[in-house]
Amino acid sequence: MPTRRARIPATKYPVERFALDNGLRVVLTPDRSAPVIGVAVVYDVGIRSEPQGRSGFAHLFEHLMFQGSENLEKLAHFRHVQGAGGTFNGSTHLDYTDYFETLPSNALERALFLEADRMRGPRLTEENLRNQVDVVKEEIRVNVLNRPYGGFPWLTLPPVMFDTFPNAHDGYGSFDDLESATVADAADFFRRYYASGNAVLAVSGDIDVAGATALIERHFGDVPARPAPQRPDFTEPDLTGERRSTYTDALAPLPAVAGAWRVPDPVTDFAGYLPYVVLAEVLTDGDASRLVERLVQRDRTVTSVGGYLGFMGDPFDVRDPTALLLQAHLPPGGDVEKVLRTVDEELDRLATDGLVEGELARTQARMATHLLRDTDAVLGRALRMAVLEQQRAEPGLLNELPRLVGAVTEEQVRAAAATLRPERRASVEVVAGGGAR
């Protein structure tokens, strides 16, 4: 008897799409329930797009976009957003870079002016570049070099799984590459990737569609038209044999291990990809999940375990090649080999015996709750729709994601589990160097 699936409703956020003459794609999703707006601009450039010898450049350039623009001096962006009662930030991902604000709805034009002004041109000066190289180097020291498990596994696992520079290199960048970056490099990166035709603008929240459209045309319409560059083919063949790597982390108090398996293309084979998203949650989401119950509660061979899709943890903003990751921290003297064997056993058991009654429905309900919560705020909605437009030209998929997750069947989850074989796995082990053994 098949296990019961969750009944998940779809959301009904309205979606308006259009493009300006300069190629900028726009997504509007009005919601008049509160006087707040979320504004997001997503550029189709990320860590994978960095040229060899310029590791970390996509993230460095994200910093430069906050250092003044065509008509605004350094720190003006900060002052204008915060002065209107808003918040802002940006982030660099494998496949895109985003910039975003949350503001009272009466500050919409301010946000549009700020984003359009830096789309025309950030202030790429030697002073700004050198200053931000130092800022990024300090960020690396804080987040990677001087932190236990720094970069684990998002920086340490890709070079084990992949062979090509775009997929395998350190997205934070080496100090040598960062220090050798020039203003000419930055100007070329801007011309190539920060084109209006390579960007998506999304606005969500308390907007009038006609009024917002007029403001967008006023501020972005005269941004010089430049087409999107040809996106390289980043595909790599799947592993044909297990790959292992080990390193000592001088600051880590406990051993750790992470393993990853390639999964179907999240864009061109979305139906084949979705069961892996559900599988990761079946394995690790909550105390009743497979690996938490077995490894943490029963065997006590790990102190924590987690699973997710994509090296940065969001399954719905990634492109191929990507992977399902499992990571665990072990107690002192923990046995990594035993943990990996147990994971293999549980995957085999799931593939062979299936799920117990209620297991799939419980998992899908939790996943749908997280999806609904993440897009309840106007900024979460704008960011998700901008990326869906950028990668799929389908921002309305946001409304369907909870229902699609709920439609995944037990047979699909079992079939996905059956593909996660040791000979397709890449893993990295952290040897504790911080005192515990």
Side-chain angles (χ1 to χ4, degrees):
M1 177 178 173
T3 60
R4 180 173 52 86
R5 298 203 307 272
R7 293 187 178 274
I8 308 293
T11 52
K12 296 180 181 179
Y13 296 122
V15 182
E16 300 281 344
R17 301 171 65 223
F18 61 93
L20 301 186
D21 290 343
N22 59 14
L24 177 68
R25 288 177 285 166
V26 181
V27 179
L28 303 179
T29 175
D31 176 358
R32 311 307 292 267
S33 62
V36 180
I37 54 166
V39 177
V41 179
V42 170
Y43 294 89
D44 195 348
V45 58
I47 290 167
R48 279 200 254 244
S49 301
E50 296 168 347
Q52 199 151 358
R54 285 291 176 264
S55 62
F57 203 89
H59 176 233
L60 173 62
F61 197 87
E62 176 217 318
H63 279 246
L64 290 173
M65 287 285 281
F66 288 95
Q67 302 306 302
S69 54
E70 186 170 270
N71 294 295
L72 294 171
E73 73 280 10
K74 189 171 184 175
L75 301 181
H77 192 109
F78 299 57
R79 188 174 67 253
H80 286 299
V81 173
Q82 293 173 336
T87 59
F88 65 93
N89 212 331
S91 59
T92 308
H93 302 252
L94 290 176
D95 296 304
Y96 67 92
T97 307
D98 57 24
Y99 303 87
F100 47 88
E101 295 87 15
T102 302
L103 287 154
S105 53
N106 61 7
L108 172 61
E109 185 166 15
R110 180 179 302 210
L112 297 176
F113 166 77
L114 292 171
E115 291 296 351
D117 204 56
R118 62 178 168 186
M119 187 179 286
R120 287 189 195 89
R123 294 202 177 196
L124 304 177
T125 67
E126 184 68 23
E127 177 188 2
N128 283 344
L129 177 62
R130 299 274 68 88
N131 173 267
Q132 291 310 301
V133 166
D134 288 341
V135 170
V136 171
K137 286 167 62 179
E138 185 61 21
E139 190 174 325
I140 294 170
R141 291 186 187 100
V142 170
N143 291 336
V144 180
L145 301 179
N146 296 324
R147 172 178 290 186
Y149 313 105
F152 171 78
W154 78 279
L155 293 179
T156 57
L157 192 50
V160 184
M161 171 164 272
F162 299 117
D163 296 318
T164 65
F165 175 81
N167 297 317
H169 77 279
D170 180 345
Y172 249 139
S174 73
F175 281 15
D176 285 346
D177 283 359
L178 291 167
E179 289 165 353
S180 63
T182 67
V183 172
D185 292 331
D188 181 66
F189 196 81
F190 175 76
R191 281 193 299 270
R192 180 183 299 270
Y193 294 112
Y194 278 72
S196 53
N198 207 37
V200 173
L201 165 68
V203 183
S204 175
D206 184 22
I207 57 170
D208 169 73
V209 170
T213 300
L215 289 175
I216 289 166
E217 290 173 342
R218 177 188 306 167
H219 290 284
F220 286 90
D222 64 352
V223 174
R226 299 199 311 280
Q230 178 92 23
R231 186 173 187 267
D233 181 2
F234 295 128
T235 58
E236 286 195 36
D238 196 0
L239 299 184
T240 56
E242 185 180 12
R243 294 185 181 183
R244 301 280 294 271
S245 180
T246 301
Y247 69 97
T248 299
D249 184 335
L251 300 176
L254 298 168
V257 65
W261 298 259
R262 291 282 296 278
V263 296
D265 188 314
V267 175
T268 63
D269 188 13
F270 192 50
Y273 174 77
L274 272 175
Y276 291 87
V277 181
V278 177
L279 172 61
E281 301 299 314
V282 167
L283 292 172
T284 64
D285 185 32
D287 290 344
S289 62
R290 292 286 176 118
L291 294 182
V292 173
E293 192 278 330
R294 173 75 188 274
L295 293 170
V296 179
Q297 297 174 352
R298 192 197 319 173
D299 295 355
R300 300 192 177 184
T301 51
V302 308
T303 57
S304 65
V305 62
Y308 48 95
L309 273 291
F311 290 91
M312 292 187 170
D314 190 325
F316 301 119
D317 67 359
V318 296
R319 289 166 164 161
D320 187 65
T322 191
L324 184 152
L325 279 74
L326 297 175
Q327 67 181 81
H329 290 79
L330 284 66
D335 186 341
V336 165
E337 297 294 337
K338 183 176 182 180
V339 170
L340 292 175
R341 283 198 308 271
T342 305
V343 169
D344 293 336
E345 289 173 12
E346 289 299 315
L347 289 169
D348 287 343
R349 187 165 71 90
L350 178 55
T352 302
D353 299 338
L355 292 92
V356 301
E357 180 61 32
E359 185 177 11
L360 182 59
R362 179 186 69 241
T363 301
Q364 290 168 319
R366 287 169 66 108
M367 294 177 70
T369 298
H370 292 315
L371 285 168
L372 295 168
R373 181 195 63 198
D374 290 346
T375 56
D376 182 56
V378 290
L379 180 59
R381 211 173 308 156
L383 283 166
R384 170 82 21 108
M385 286 197 177
V387 176
L388 290 172
E389 170 65 37
Q390 175 225 9
Q391 297 184 348
R392 303 166 180 271
E394 195 178 356
L397 184 62
L398 174 143
N399 286 319
E400 298 299 318
L401 285 176
R403 182 186 60 79
L404 291 171
V405 163
V408 171
T409 67
E410 177 187 3
E411 290 72 22
Q412 289 175 310
V413 174
R414 291 175 62 178
T419 70
L420 304 190
R421 307 302 305 161
E423 61 269 19
R424 296 184 58 244
R425 180 175 61 214
S427 62
V428 60
E429 175 185 350
V430 180
V431 177
R437 291 292 189 272

